Amino acid sequence: MFGVLARRSGRLYNGFSRSGSVVPDLVSYDTGMKLGDSQEEDVDPARAEFDASFFERSILVQRLKLSTLPKAVKTHFEQVGEVLIADVLRRPSGKSLGTAIVEYAEPKAAKEALEKLQGTKLEEANIYLLPNKRGLERDPKPSKVVYLEHLPRTMTDGDLRHLGQKFGKVLDAQKVLGKDGKTIRAGFIKFSSNTEATKAVKMLDERMLHGFVISAQLH
């Protein structure tokens, strides 16, 4: 069993990770469902999306007007290709950060957007585009335990175990609860080997799980 561990990874900085990629806990992807509906759904880890091309297919849009909505962002960027997701990043208070993420169906479209739509006007604002780059790989100390953050609120210990079993033998899996007994959207998975844990981190970190971009690191 794990002890009471509710620390933060310290990888987030003013709304963005140090790598310059999207901050998981500030992203609420516009999937067409109401946020409340998404949170109340039964979580099926088998539907988790592990797409290594995510960062190649997505771009960051900066200098947006604070009133700009996801629909306007999606429409603007559909000029160069099929947009799967377009959403405005917001603080927990709901206030816009003036930044959005756009995910295309193909990497080619993301590259074309960076070339052709850089500096174009979106609702009278001259936008600035950046690739959503993944940070440099770190070389952490070997560990059998993976710490996960920004999980769906409805995720259970059983769901965590099921998720971990995709990468190896799971010895234990638990959500982290706050003092009030409610989830803080974090959890641990303990594997039978360091290799399995490392594989899980590489496949899970900054990936989408049931509408949420989660983070994973060795603990």
Side-chain angles (χ1 to χ4, degrees):
M1 299 288 288
F2 299 111
V4 179
L5 296 165
R7 68 182 179 80
R8 289 295 177 183
S9 67
R11 296 193 304 128
L12 307 185
Y13 181 73
N14 288 341
F16 297 92
S17 68
R18 296 180 188 278
S19 69
S21 57
V22 170
V23 173
D25 67 348
L26 292 180
V27 177
S28 100
Y29 285 91
D30 182 8
T31 59
M33 298 185 296
K34 292 181 180 179
L35 185 58
D37 295 338
S38 175
Q39 292 175 348
E40 294 173 2
E41 270 191 318
D42 291 331
V43 177
D44 178 6
R47 292 173 57 190
E49 190 176 309
F50 304 122
D51 188 347
S53 70
F54 171 74
F55 290 89
E56 297 176 1
R57 294 184 289 102
S58 60
I59 62 174
L60 293 177
V61 186
Q62 297 184 341
R63 302 177 186 173
L64 290 170
K65 293 179 64 176
L66 298 184
S67 59
T68 297
L69 299 175
K71 183 177 181 180
V73 176
K74 187 174 188 289
T75 299
H76 186 79
F77 285 90
E78 284 177 333
Q79 297 179 62
V80 296
E82 180 186 358
V83 174
L84 299 180
I85 294 171
D87 202 7
V88 175
L89 277 64
R90 299 180 184 277
R91 298 187 183 281
S93 64
K95 183 178 180 180
S96 171
L97 288 170
T99 299
I101 181 169
V102 175
E103 180 187 356
Y104 283 100
E106 299 293 338
K108 181 181 178 181
K111 183 177 180 180
E112 189 173 350
L114 290 170
E115 295 173 352
K116 295 184 177 180
L117 300 180
Q118 184 69 268
T120 55
K121 282 194 174 185
L122 175 51
E123 295 188 341
E124 300 180 355
N126 292 318
I127 57 177
Y128 182 69
L129 309 181
L130 290 168
N132 187 23
K133 290 184 178 180
R134 189 181 180 86
L136 296 176
E137 294 296 330
R138 297 176 293 276
D139 187 19
K141 293 181 180 180
S143 174
K144 297 179 182 179
V145 179
V146 175
Y147 176 63
L148 301 158
E149 287 187 300
H150 317 297
L151 297 169
R153 289 180 177 82
T154 53
M155 197 143 195
T156 66
D157 291 349
D159 293 330
L160 275 176
R161 180 177 290 274
H162 186 186
L163 183 64
Q165 287 172 342
K166 298 175 182 293
F167 312 106
K169 183 178 180 180
V170 175
L171 302 181
D172 199 359
Q174 289 186 12
K175 295 188 303 179
V176 177
L177 302 179
K179 292 183 179 180
D180 58 359
K182 296 181 180 180
T183 180
I184 63 169
R185 295 181 58 197
F188 291 89
I189 301 176
K190 184 175 182 180
F191 291 90
S192 62
S193 72
N194 296 342
T195 301
E196 292 169 338
T198 299
K199 179 182 178 182
V201 168
K202 289 182 177 179
M203 293 300 295
L204 292 174
D205 191 35
E206 296 182 327
R207 296 295 195 267
M208 187 180 290
L209 174 61
H210 219 68
F212 294 87
V213 180
I214 66 175
S215 65
Q217 62 178 319
L218 296 177
H219 177 75

